[in-house]
Amino acid sequence: TGKARQVTSGTETVQSLSWSPSGKEVAVALRKSPRLDDLFDTDLHVVNVETGKLRPLVVRPGLDSLPIWSPDGSKVAFVSHRGKYDWIGNTYLCVVDAAGGEPKALTTGFDEVIPW
């Protein structure tokens, strides 16, 4: 319809998001508050645009952010601290099945921070 409507609610802050290729879902990186202390503690969820229901995708300590859907909608790539709460540690490019499952780090040999 071209009309804007809110599809999420709650106390979490959306840090980053990515629309699915179908346009029916949005992958979001949520943190518990906008406070700087919570900047590196995010989890990935998928929002059903029709219902607003959240589905956990990657929930673990530390940074999991900048979700990007694969063109076919089967996977979500993201930047991560791989389960560690770390302000200055390495970040990794990871991927997870859009339906859920165990995330896989693609850049374990990269000893640096991926800018996010």
Side-chain angles (χ1 to χ4, degrees):
T1 65
K3 194 173 181 183
R5 69 181 174 88
Q6 183 174 332
V7 295
T8 62
S9 63
T11 59
E12 293 89 5
T13 296
V14 175
Q15 183 166 306
S16 56
L17 62 91
S18 175
W19 283 90
S20 69
S22 71
K24 295 180 180 180
E25 296 178 306
V26 180
V28 295
L30 297 178
R31 63 185 198 190
K32 56 186 164 188
S33 84
R35 295 178 48 227
L36 184 59
D37 289 350
D38 295 324
L39 181 64
F40 295 100
D41 193 10
T42 55
D43 294 318
L44 298 181
H45 296 268
V46 174
V47 181
N48 179 301
V49 174
E50 185 70 28
T51 66
K53 185 174 179 177
L54 287 174
R55 174 174 53 86
L57 188 61
V58 178
V59 178
R60 59 187 179 181
L63 176 79
D64 293 298
S65 193
L66 294 178
I68 303 283
W69 291 83
S70 63
D72 67 0
S74 68
K75 299 197 182 303
V76 176
F78 60 100
V79 174
S80 177
H81 279 147
R82 294 179 58 205
K84 297 177 186 169
Y85 184 78
D86 195 345
W87 280 72
I88 59 171
N90 291 346
T91 51
Y92 303 92
L93 177 62
C94 296
V95 68
V96 66
D97 286 339
E102 191 66 30
K104 179 181 179 184
L106 303 176
T107 58
T108 56
F110 184 65
D111 187 21
E112 193 56 63
V113 173
I114 296 172
W116 61 277

